[in-house]
Short mmCIF file of all heavy atoms in Angstrom, two decimals:
data_model
loop_
_atom_site.label_atom_id
_atom_site.label_comp_id
_atom_site.label_asym_id
_atom_site.label_seq_id
_atom_site.Cartn_x
_atom_site.Cartn_y
_atom_site.Cartn_z
N ALA A 6 -3.86 3.12 4.25
CA ALA A 6 -4.36 2.96 2.89
C ALA A 6 -3.47 3.71 1.91
O ALA A 6 -3.20 3.23 0.80
CB ALA A 6 -5.80 3.45 2.79
N ALA A 7 -2.98 4.88 2.30
CA ALA A 7 -2.07 5.65 1.44
C ALA A 7 -0.80 4.86 1.15
O ALA A 7 -0.31 4.83 0.02
CB ALA A 7 -1.73 6.99 2.10
N VAL A 8 -0.27 4.19 2.17
CA VAL A 8 0.94 3.39 1.98
C VAL A 8 0.65 2.17 1.12
O VAL A 8 1.45 1.81 0.26
CB VAL A 8 1.55 3.00 3.34
CG1 VAL A 8 2.68 2.00 3.18
CG2 VAL A 8 2.06 4.26 4.05
N ALA A 9 -0.51 1.54 1.30
CA ALA A 9 -0.87 0.41 0.45
C ALA A 9 -0.99 0.85 -1.00
O ALA A 9 -0.56 0.12 -1.92
CB ALA A 9 -2.17 -0.23 0.94
N LEU A 10 -1.52 2.03 -1.25
CA LEU A 10 -1.60 2.56 -2.61
C LEU A 10 -0.19 2.82 -3.15
O LEU A 10 0.11 2.53 -4.32
CB LEU A 10 -2.44 3.83 -2.64
CG LEU A 10 -3.93 3.61 -2.40
CD1 LEU A 10 -4.62 4.91 -2.02
CD2 LEU A 10 -4.60 2.97 -3.62
N GLN A 11 0.65 3.35 -2.31
CA GLN A 11 2.05 3.59 -2.70
C GLN A 11 2.71 2.27 -3.07
O GLN A 11 3.47 2.20 -4.05
CB GLN A 11 2.77 4.28 -1.55
CG GLN A 11 4.11 4.84 -1.89
CD GLN A 11 4.65 5.71 -0.75
OE1 GLN A 11 3.91 6.21 0.09
NE2 GLN A 11 5.94 5.88 -0.73
N ASN A 12 2.43 1.22 -2.31
CA ASN A 12 2.98 -0.10 -2.60
C ASN A 12 2.54 -0.60 -3.98
O ASN A 12 3.32 -1.23 -4.70
CB ASN A 12 2.56 -1.12 -1.53
CG ASN A 12 3.20 -0.84 -0.19
OD1 ASN A 12 4.19 -0.12 -0.10
ND2 ASN A 12 2.63 -1.41 0.85
N TYR A 13 1.30 -0.34 -4.34
CA TYR A 13 0.78 -0.74 -5.66
C TYR A 13 1.65 -0.13 -6.77
O TYR A 13 2.06 -0.83 -7.70
CB TYR A 13 -0.68 -0.29 -5.81
CG TYR A 13 -1.21 -0.44 -7.21
CD1 TYR A 13 -1.69 -1.67 -7.66
CD2 TYR A 13 -1.22 0.64 -8.08
CE1 TYR A 13 -2.17 -1.82 -8.95
CE2 TYR A 13 -1.70 0.50 -9.38
CZ TYR A 13 -2.17 -0.72 -9.80
OH TYR A 13 -2.63 -0.87 -11.09
N PHE A 14 1.93 1.15 -6.66
CA PHE A 14 2.73 1.81 -7.69
C PHE A 14 4.18 1.35 -7.66
O PHE A 14 4.81 1.21 -8.71
CB PHE A 14 2.61 3.33 -7.56
CG PHE A 14 1.29 3.84 -8.07
CD1 PHE A 14 0.21 3.98 -7.21
CD2 PHE A 14 1.12 4.13 -9.41
CE1 PHE A 14 -1.01 4.41 -7.68
CE2 PHE A 14 -0.10 4.56 -9.89
CZ PHE A 14 -1.17 4.70 -9.03
N PHE A 15 4.70 1.09 -6.47
CA PHE A 15 6.06 0.58 -6.36
C PHE A 15 6.19 -0.74 -7.13
O PHE A 15 7.17 -0.96 -7.84
CB PHE A 15 6.45 0.39 -4.89
CG PHE A 15 7.83 -0.15 -4.70
CD1 PHE A 15 8.94 0.66 -4.84
CD2 PHE A 15 8.03 -1.50 -4.40
CE1 PHE A 15 10.23 0.16 -4.68
CE2 PHE A 15 9.30 -2.02 -4.24
CZ PHE A 15 10.40 -1.19 -4.38
N GLU A 16 5.19 -1.61 -6.97
CA GLU A 16 5.19 -2.89 -7.68
C GLU A 16 5.15 -2.70 -9.20
O GLU A 16 5.59 -3.57 -9.94
CB GLU A 16 4.02 -3.76 -7.23
CG GLU A 16 4.14 -4.27 -5.81
CD GLU A 16 5.29 -5.24 -5.63
OE1 GLU A 16 5.51 -6.08 -6.52
OE2 GLU A 16 5.98 -5.14 -4.60
N LYS A 17 4.63 -1.57 -9.64
CA LYS A 17 4.56 -1.26 -11.08
C LYS A 17 5.80 -0.49 -11.55
O LYS A 17 5.85 -0.06 -12.70
CB LYS A 17 3.31 -0.42 -11.38
CG LYS A 17 2.01 -1.05 -10.97
CD LYS A 17 1.59 -2.12 -11.93
CE LYS A 17 0.21 -2.64 -11.57
NZ LYS A 17 -0.08 -3.91 -12.18
N GLY A 18 6.76 -0.28 -10.64
CA GLY A 18 7.97 0.45 -11.00
C GLY A 18 7.80 1.96 -11.01
O GLY A 18 8.56 2.67 -11.67
N MET A 19 6.80 2.45 -10.27
CA MET A 19 6.52 3.89 -10.23
C MET A 19 6.59 4.39 -8.80
O MET A 19 6.36 3.65 -7.85
CB MET A 19 5.13 4.17 -10.80
CG MET A 19 4.94 3.74 -12.25
SD MET A 19 3.22 3.82 -12.78
CE MET A 19 2.97 5.58 -12.89
N ASP A 20 6.91 5.66 -8.66
CA ASP A 20 6.92 6.32 -7.36
C ASP A 20 5.67 7.20 -7.27
O ASP A 20 5.57 8.20 -8.00
CB ASP A 20 8.19 7.16 -7.22
CG ASP A 20 8.31 7.88 -5.90
OD1 ASP A 20 7.29 8.09 -5.21
OD2 ASP A 20 9.44 8.27 -5.55
N LEU A 21 4.73 6.83 -6.41
CA LEU A 21 3.47 7.56 -6.33
C LEU A 21 3.69 9.01 -5.94
O LEU A 21 3.02 9.90 -6.47
CB LEU A 21 2.50 6.87 -5.36
CG LEU A 21 1.12 7.51 -5.21
CD1 LEU A 21 0.43 7.71 -6.56
CD2 LEU A 21 0.24 6.69 -4.27
N VAL A 22 4.62 9.29 -5.06
CA VAL A 22 4.86 10.69 -4.66
C VAL A 22 5.37 11.50 -5.86
O VAL A 22 4.94 12.63 -6.07
CB VAL A 22 5.85 10.77 -3.47
CG1 VAL A 22 6.19 12.22 -3.16
CG2 VAL A 22 5.26 10.08 -2.25
N GLU A 23 6.26 10.90 -6.62
CA GLU A 23 6.74 11.58 -7.83
C GLU A 23 5.58 11.85 -8.79
O GLU A 23 5.47 12.94 -9.37
CB GLU A 23 7.80 10.71 -8.52
CG GLU A 23 8.43 11.32 -9.74
CD GLU A 23 9.49 10.41 -10.32
OE1 GLU A 23 10.39 9.96 -9.58
OE2 GLU A 23 9.40 10.13 -11.54
N GLU A 24 4.70 10.88 -8.92
CA GLU A 24 3.53 11.04 -9.79
C GLU A 24 2.59 12.12 -9.24
O GLU A 24 1.96 12.86 -10.01
CB GLU A 24 2.79 9.72 -9.96
CG GLU A 24 3.59 8.64 -10.68
CD GLU A 24 4.00 9.03 -12.09
OE1 GLU A 24 3.23 9.73 -12.79
OE2 GLU A 24 5.11 8.62 -12.51
N MET A 25 2.49 12.22 -7.93
CA MET A 25 1.65 13.25 -7.31
C MET A 25 2.20 14.64 -7.64
O MET A 25 1.43 15.55 -7.96
CB MET A 25 1.58 13.05 -5.79
CG MET A 25 0.75 11.85 -5.38
SD MET A 25 0.97 11.38 -3.65
CE MET A 25 0.47 12.87 -2.79
N ASN A 26 3.50 14.81 -7.57
CA ASN A 26 4.10 16.10 -7.91
C ASN A 26 3.91 16.43 -9.38
O ASN A 26 3.64 17.59 -9.74
CB ASN A 26 5.57 16.14 -7.50
CG ASN A 26 5.72 16.37 -6.02
OD1 ASN A 26 5.25 17.37 -5.49
ND2 ASN A 26 6.34 15.43 -5.33
N LYS A 27 4.03 15.44 -10.24
CA LYS A 27 3.76 15.66 -11.66
C LYS A 27 2.31 16.07 -11.86
O LYS A 27 2.00 16.99 -12.64
CB LYS A 27 4.02 14.38 -12.47
CG LYS A 27 5.46 14.02 -12.64
CD LYS A 27 5.56 12.71 -13.46
CE LYS A 27 6.95 12.15 -13.49
NZ LYS A 27 6.99 10.84 -14.20
N ARG A 28 1.41 15.38 -11.17
CA ARG A 28 -0.01 15.68 -11.30
C ARG A 28 -0.32 17.10 -10.83
O ARG A 28 -1.08 17.83 -11.47
CB ARG A 28 -0.83 14.65 -10.50
CG ARG A 28 -2.31 14.77 -10.69
CD ARG A 28 -2.74 14.27 -12.04
NE ARG A 28 -4.16 14.53 -12.21
CZ ARG A 28 -4.73 14.67 -13.36
NH1 ARG A 28 -4.05 14.54 -14.48
NH2 ARG A 28 -6.02 14.93 -13.45
N ALA A 29 0.26 17.49 -9.72
CA ALA A 29 0.05 18.85 -9.20
C ALA A 29 0.51 19.88 -10.24
O ALA A 29 -0.18 20.89 -10.46
CB ALA A 29 0.80 19.03 -7.88
#
């Protein structure tokens, strides 16, 4: 599920891990 969520953001041109670090 984590990878599927990551795929969602990839399709939007975003890196979920990068966003996670920003959020932290």
Side-chain angles (χ1 to χ4, degrees):
V8 171
L10 291 163
Q11 192 170 338
N12 291 342
Y13 170 83
F14 284 92
F15 179 78
E16 291 294 319
K17 303 283 186 197
M19 299 170 72
D20 180 339
L21 182 53
V22 175
E23 183 178 308
E24 296 300 325
M25 289 167 59
N26 282 301
K27 288 180 189 176
R28 186 74 185 154

